[in-house]
C-alpha cells in the first residue's frame, strides 16, 4: 500500500531587520519552521528548536529547514 501524496503550502516571507539586512521566514501553512538570515559572508539557518546552522546560500538554508521539518514531523 503506497502513501498518498499531500500538497503542502510553503511560503517564504521576508522581514527587514534593524541593521538593514533581510531575514527570510519559512512557513508551512500557518506554522513557522525557521529563519534564514545573513551572517558575515554566509547565512544562518535557525530552526524553531534553537539549532543554528551556517550555510552558503539562502536556498541551501531553505532546503535544510524543509529537510528537518519532513524528517521530524512527516
Amino acid at each position: 500500500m503506497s502513501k498518498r501524496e499531500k500538497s503542502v503550502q510553503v511560503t517564504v516571507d521576508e522581514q527587514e531587520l534593524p541593521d538593514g539586512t533581510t531575514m527570510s521566514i519559512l512557513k508551512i501553512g500557518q506554522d513557522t519552521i525557521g529563519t534564514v538570515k545573513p551572517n558575515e559572508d554566509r547565512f544562518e539557518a535557525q530552526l524553531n528548536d534553537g539549532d543554528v546552522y551556517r550555510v552558503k546560500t539562502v536556498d541551501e538554508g531553505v532546503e535544510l529547514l524543509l529537510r528537518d521539518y519532513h524528517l521530524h514531523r512527516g
Side-chain angles (χ1 to χ4, degrees):
M1 198 160 144
S2 64
K3 286 187 175 182
R4 183 175 169 208
E5 286 188 30
K6 292 186 214 176
S7 177
V8 177
Q9 179 74 25
V10 178
T11 57
V12 179
D13 295 330
E14 294 191 356
Q15 178 180 3
E16 185 85 18
L17 299 175
D19 63 358
T21 60
T22 302
M23 175 173 64
S24 299
I25 303 167
L26 189 67
K27 294 182 178 185
I28 293 184
Q30 295 295 325
D31 298 329
T32 300
I33 64 170
T35 61
V36 180
K37 62 182 176 180
N39 183 9
E40 298 173 8
D41 62 337
R42 302 256 173 148
F43 295 88
E44 282 186 353
Q46 182 170 1
L47 303 169
N48 279 344
D49 64 4
D51 290 343
V52 177
Y53 297 94
R54 289 184 54 99
V55 293
K56 293 179 182 178
T57 65
V58 172
D59 290 340
E60 185 180 344
V62 168
E63 287 177 22
L64 184 138
L65 295 172
L66 287 172
R67 275 196 314 263
D68 181 75
Y69 177 83
H70 288 293
L71 178 66
H72 295 290
R73 291 163 191 85

